[in-house]
Amino acid sequence: MLANPISIARWMVVAGSLGLLVVAALAGWLLRDQIFQTFQDPGEPFQTYSPPPPADYAAADAWFARGDFSDPEEAAVFFVHPTTYSGGANWNGALDKESANRQVIDIALPNYAAPFARSGVLFAPRYRQAALYAFMNNREDSVQARLFAHEDVARAFDAFLEDIGPDRPIILSGVGQGGFHALGLLIDRFAQDETLRSRLVAAYIIDAPVPLDLFSDALADIPPCETAEDVRCVFAYSYAQTEESDRIRILTERTMSWTPDRNLAFVEGRGLLCINPVLGTRTSEYASARQHRGGVAAEGLPPDTTPAPIPGQTGAQCADGILFVDEPRHRDLQRPNRLAEDFREPPFNLFYEDLRLDAAQRAFTLISILQEERRWAPPLEIVEDVEDAPVVPIPDRREF
């Protein structure tokens, strides 16, 4: 018996509709980041945008962490958190954005600030961070949002210097967007001030590409951390797995970073610094999983809690400016499959214990160096005869 032509037609319509749904679903999956980006666009030029109110860094509520010192030679840690605000309504996140702040408190501090806070007193400012949207494209508006956020971080750092006094060692650390801002501080503040450079334990720039051309100009006096014993140096890496082609392209081509003259330019063709966190050195040598000291998924833990690290999870090797890692064995240390994941920091720190031990060793080394330098510092010259005292010209008041 021949099939009913009407039934066949209906079946074809249904099959065609299902096919279109499958194609649409597949296209939506492949383009999900672009769709997400579209919904996060503030829809207003940065030039006419009214940003949220600024922080008063003299006030306690302008800080996620603002610790107290118990040791006169204890190091101070200045930590700049990664992006936690997606965008949509603003180019820059408001300081009281609850969802963004909760991610800093629950994820960024316990996973990324805590390893360094074991070696000093933690300071972590709130700042009007550029939205995640501003890092998913390189529009002029997005660039302006990043620079605007950096102004907040620079003001916070100046307040931090006033708080800690003129002598303490400093650990500088930033992750993701925070790494971008920390690198800017190296150029703006440390590179311009020899005394400040002498207090730098190390600058840990994580998941924010650091172009090599900076070290022949703006950072000529702050070299990479070549060995595990170096201090007053830059420790940087951005990591990916070999199959993460999109993330690798973002890190090596599409990302913009600082130039020696304090502008921004693409990192492509500039070479990138890669320090292997498992080995603590600048090398292309492969570090096996047996050498990995441990990652931590510390979501929700207070920053002063010491979580148990999960060791032996990944091998790591620097190549072409990227730290290539093996897939971690433990599920808690595997990157989640979220929208715009290539631009986010995961809710764990794959090298938590490696960084903790590295920072502790370098802090101990610098404190020892500073003690020795102060011990052998020449005494102040005492002028016994007023007539022999040097004449110091009094500046014209108009200079002020």
Side-chain angles (χ1 to χ4, degrees), residues 29 39 72 167 181 221 228 288 299 309 319 328 341 344 348:
W29 172 256
F39 282 102
D167 300 316
H181 297 310
D221 295 319
S288 69
E299 184 172 350
E341 183 60 26
R344 298 180 188 268
F348 57 81

Side-chain angles (χ1 to χ4, degrees), residues 60-267:
D61 62 2
W63 301 83
F64 287 107
R66 191 184 190 186
D68 295 320
F69 294 97
S70 57
D71 183 335
E73 295 188 336
E74 197 169 14
V77 179
F78 188 81
F79 173 79
V80 191
H81 70 75
T83 308
T84 60
Y85 172 65
S86 295
N90 288 284
W91 284 104
N92 294 79
L95 297 174
D96 60 356
K97 182 67 175 177
E98 180 59 29
S99 59
N101 290 342
R102 182 51 52 192
Q103 288 186 57
V104 175
I105 295 168
D106 288 350
I107 298 176
L109 296 186
N111 281 294
Y112 293 104
F116 306 106
R118 302 290 176 270
S119 298
V121 173
L122 178 63
F123 289 73
R126 298 173 186 264
Y127 67 100
R128 291 171 292 181
Q129 59 177 293
L132 181 65
Y133 173 81
F135 289 90
M136 296 182 71
N137 62 78
N138 290 299
R139 293 170 49 186
E140 179 61 27
D141 296 305
S142 296
V143 171
Q144 291 302 314
R146 300 174 213 173
L147 295 175
F148 180 85
H150 182 69
E151 292 176 4
D152 273 11
V153 174
R155 288 193 302 109
F157 185 74
D158 290 341
F160 160 80
L161 290 179
E162 291 185 11
D163 273 0
I164 68 173
D167 300 316
R168 291 189 186 278
I170 297 170
I171 297 174
L172 178 64
S173 175
V175 181
Q177 175 175 177
F180 166 80
H181 297 310
L183 180 58
L185 291 177
L186 282 178
I187 298 170
D188 291 345
R189 299 294 190 269
F190 289 88
Q192 311 301 323
D193 189 330
E194 182 179 357
T195 300
L196 194 56
R197 287 198 304 274
S198 72
R199 298 163 59 189
L200 180 65
V201 173
Y204 293 85
I205 313 296
I206 300 172
D207 270 353
V210 177
L212 293 178
D213 59 6
L214 294 175
F215 295 101
S216 61
D217 194 313
L219 298 180
D221 295 319
I222 312 176
C225 297
E226 299 284 352
T227 74
E229 291 75 35
D230 290 345
V231 294
R232 299 163 175 163
C233 58
V234 182
F235 187 115
Y237 65 86
S238 299
Y239 77 93
Q241 296 179 36
T242 54
E243 64 273 17
E244 294 177 324
S245 57
D246 287 345
R247 177 168 170 78
I248 294 168
R249 186 168 58 255
I250 289 167
L251 292 172
T252 60
E253 299 175 14
R254 293 175 53 193
T255 297
M256 299 184 77
S257 186
W258 300 99
T259 62
D261 58 0
R262 289 196 74 256
N263 290 315
L264 297 186
F266 289 101
V267 299

Side-chain angles (χ1 to χ4, degrees), residues 348-364:
F348 57 81
N349 187 342
L350 186 56
F351 299 104
Y352 182 106
E353 190 67 0
D354 306 87
L355 292 170
R356 184 187 72 81
L357 294 173
D358 187 276
Q361 177 59 49
R362 294 184 201 272
F364 176 81

